[in-house]
Amino acid sequence: MPPFARENNLLVYKGNNFLKQRLLLSTLSGKPVKIIEIRSEDANLGLREYEISLIRLFDKITNGTKIELNESGTSLYFCPGLLHGGAFHHDCCTQRGIGYYLDVLIALGPFCKTPLNITLRGVTNSKESPSVDHIKGAAIPVLKKFIVVDEGLELKVTKRGMMPGGGGEVVFKCPVKQKLRPTQFLKAGMVKRIRGTVYASKVSPAMANRTVESAKGVMLNFLPDVYIYTDQNRGKMSGNSPGFGVNLIAETTDGVFYSAEAISNTKDEGKEPSVPEDLGREAAYRLLDEIYRGGCVDSSFQWLTILFMALGQKDVSKYLTGPLSDYSVHFLQHLRDFFAITFKLENPEQDDEDDALPGAQKVLMTCVGIGYTNINKRVI
């Protein structure tokens, strides 16, 4: 959706869609943004609690940010300050998983003044947003490709927290970088191994074991190198709500990671209790679908690749992806609004049948980076 209006350097948008994208790009570009008519026609007006928690996180990671919110919460003015980073705690709203907040930190972390050392508390695994395991398996490898030296980069789950009560805890550390390197990644390779984690909190250990056997039963039809760990949590380490789930990660010969997840139903959803065998098969089929989509990045984090390509040095970056998600398409549109950068999108040529790319339709993304530099990091 294009901006509703431009007032000098201020971008004005309507509605609550893609709030996170707009605040993220506003922070990186330094351009203030105003969002109006946020759920103005809903019975429950304005910003939700999880969105306000996200705005607080932006405020904590920056210095000098100006935020104005009207009484009904239907209008937000956001004028970003400098990215400061540092060490702090943040209590995430349990309406969304920690992943909803964590992917913002992964995008902003390299450009802070001081390295990030953040403890996030809340729901570690939820259906509404990528889980911490999904981010660790698929988003962190993307970040490593662009920052090159990943010393000091860490993402660790210290406590599990399931929906709806939460109670989980995650520690994220990220080094700062002067600039990102341009990257060309055109070959995904073949899947060589599958790893996974089945986590269970406040439920019988048999649930986890049954889920492992079910997921392995599907994946062993395609690949012999399959290993799935179990993460049993009890007492204080298990959060405030019962639940279990499985995260699977496929690694290719060229260092591409695909990830998929399935999580048990909660009482609040009003659905039948999840069966471990069904959950394991669901996660396995989702991973197979992700592998079929192909490309050199997991579909959930195409937007992160797009961002780092755009912010790279003034050189050509190329990336092969699977079909672009709706979220990625809107991210490209917002990048054009904030940074005036456009991508070249094309179908990779398949003249030779031997070189034909298996799976769904691929997209070759090409751009010249804007040469974004971390002005907060001093060059020694």
Side-chain angles (χ1 to χ4, degrees):
M1 176 183 171
F4 171 64
R6 290 178 185 267
E7 300 172 6
N8 296 326
N9 202 31
L10 175 68
L11 291 170
V12 183
Y13 290 93
K14 273 185 180 180
N16 61 294
N17 288 338
F18 308 108
L19 175 73
K20 182 161 61 171
Q21 288 188 13
R22 292 163 182 171
L23 296 183
L24 172 64
L25 292 172
S26 171
T27 303
L28 286 169
S29 66
K31 292 182 179 178
V33 65
K34 186 175 184 180
I35 303 170
I36 59 175
E37 297 182 21
I38 302 171
R39 299 189 182 91
S40 55
E41 297 180 0
D42 283 21
N44 188 3
L45 287 173
L47 292 167
R48 299 289 184 259
E49 189 180 336
Y50 65 88
E51 292 168 329
I52 292 171
S53 180
L54 177 69
I55 293 168
R56 289 197 185 108
L57 179 62
F58 275 103
D59 191 34
K60 283 182 181 179
I61 200 174
T62 55
N63 190 5
T65 295
K66 185 179 180 182
I67 300 167
E68 294 177 3
L69 193 63
N70 67 355
E71 290 183 6
S72 61
T74 56
S75 176
L76 168 68
Y77 173 76
F78 182 86
C79 184
L82 292 175
L83 274 167
H84 187 269
F88 59 85
H89 296 74
H90 184 70
D91 292 316
C92 304
C93 175
T94 54
Q95 293 174 357
R96 285 288 183 276
I98 287 176
Y100 177 77
Y101 307 88
L102 189 56
D103 54 13
V104 167
L105 298 176
I106 289 174
L108 295 178
F111 306 108
C112 291
K113 182 177 181 179
T114 56
L116 286 180
N117 183 357
I118 299 179
T119 302
L120 299 168
R121 300 190 184 101
V123 176
T124 55
N125 303 82
S126 75
K127 296 179 181 179
E128 287 79 11
S129 45
S131 72
V132 176
D133 303 272
H134 192 158
I135 289 174
K136 187 174 183 178
I140 295 296
V142 171
L143 178 59
K144 287 180 179 179
K145 284 182 173 65
F146 285 90
I147 65 173
V148 188
V149 180
D150 60 348
E151 186 179 348
L153 181 63
E154 182 185 359
L155 177 56
K156 183 170 63 175
V157 180
T158 54
K159 293 181 185 177
R160 286 280 173 189
M162 306 296 291
M163 284 289 229
E169 190 173 279
V170 172
V171 175
F172 176 62
K173 298 177 182 177
C174 183
V176 295
K177 293 294 170 186
Q178 179 73 19
K179 48 195 171 184
L180 302 177
R181 72 166 181 178
T183 302
Q184 300 202 3
F185 206 165
L186 307 177
K187 188 179 176 186
M190 303 293 286
V191 174
K192 65 177 181 179
R193 70 165 72 100
I194 291 171
R195 295 291 181 263
T197 303
V198 174
Y199 44 86
S201 297
K202 298 186 184 298
V203 297
S204 167
M207 294 288 199
N209 297 329
R210 287 164 59 189
T211 307
V212 168
E213 292 304 315
S214 175
K216 281 183 72 174
V218 175
M219 303 315 300
L220 286 172
N221 292 323
F222 305 95
L223 202 69
D225 191 355
V226 180
Y227 193 89
I228 303 175
Y229 305 85
T230 56
D231 182 12
Q232 308 274 3
N233 296 277
R234 296 178 180 175
K236 293 181 179 179
M237 305 302 290
S238 62
N240 303 324
S241 296
F244 63 100
V246 53
N247 177 263
L248 299 176
I249 298 166
E251 183 184 353
T252 74
T253 50
D254 285 298
V256 177
F257 294 84
Y258 306 116
S259 184
E261 187 153 21
I263 302 173
S264 62
N265 297 328
T266 64
K267 291 180 180 179
D268 294 357
E269 292 180 68
K271 297 180 181 178
E272 291 291 318
S274 296
V275 178
E277 286 78 10
D278 293 345
L279 208 68
R281 281 192 294 271
E282 182 185 346
Y285 292 142
R286 285 182 181 178
L287 183 64
L288 291 173
D289 185 56
E290 190 63 47
I291 293 169
Y292 174 78
R293 290 170 66 92
C296 298
V297 62
D298 185 274
S299 61
S300 298
F301 300 104
Q302 290 171 347
W303 68 270
L304 191 64
T305 301
I306 291 167
L307 175 67
F308 289 154
M309 286 174 70
L311 298 183
Q313 296 176 48
K314 294 183 179 180
D315 201 349
V316 176
S317 286
K318 290 186 177 183
Y319 233 91
L320 184 72
T321 73
L324 290 179
S325 64
D326 288 344
Y327 193 84
S328 301
V329 171
H330 283 92
F331 196 82
L332 284 166
Q333 293 170 348
H334 283 111
L335 262 179
R336 183 186 58 201
D337 296 341
F338 285 93
F339 286 103
I341 183 172
T342 54
F343 278 62
K344 180 182 179 184
L345 306 177
E346 57 188 331
N347 270 337
E349 293 180 1
Q350 299 181 9
D351 297 330
D352 189 346
E353 288 185 5
D354 294 336
D355 295 332
L357 296 161
Q361 188 67 59
K362 305 296 187 292
V363 179
L364 178 60
M365 301 192 299
T366 308
C367 83
V368 177
I370 63 171
Y372 190 88
T373 303
N374 184 355
I375 60 172
N376 301 303
K377 180 175 169 59
R378 291 186 298 176
V379 180
I380 299 175

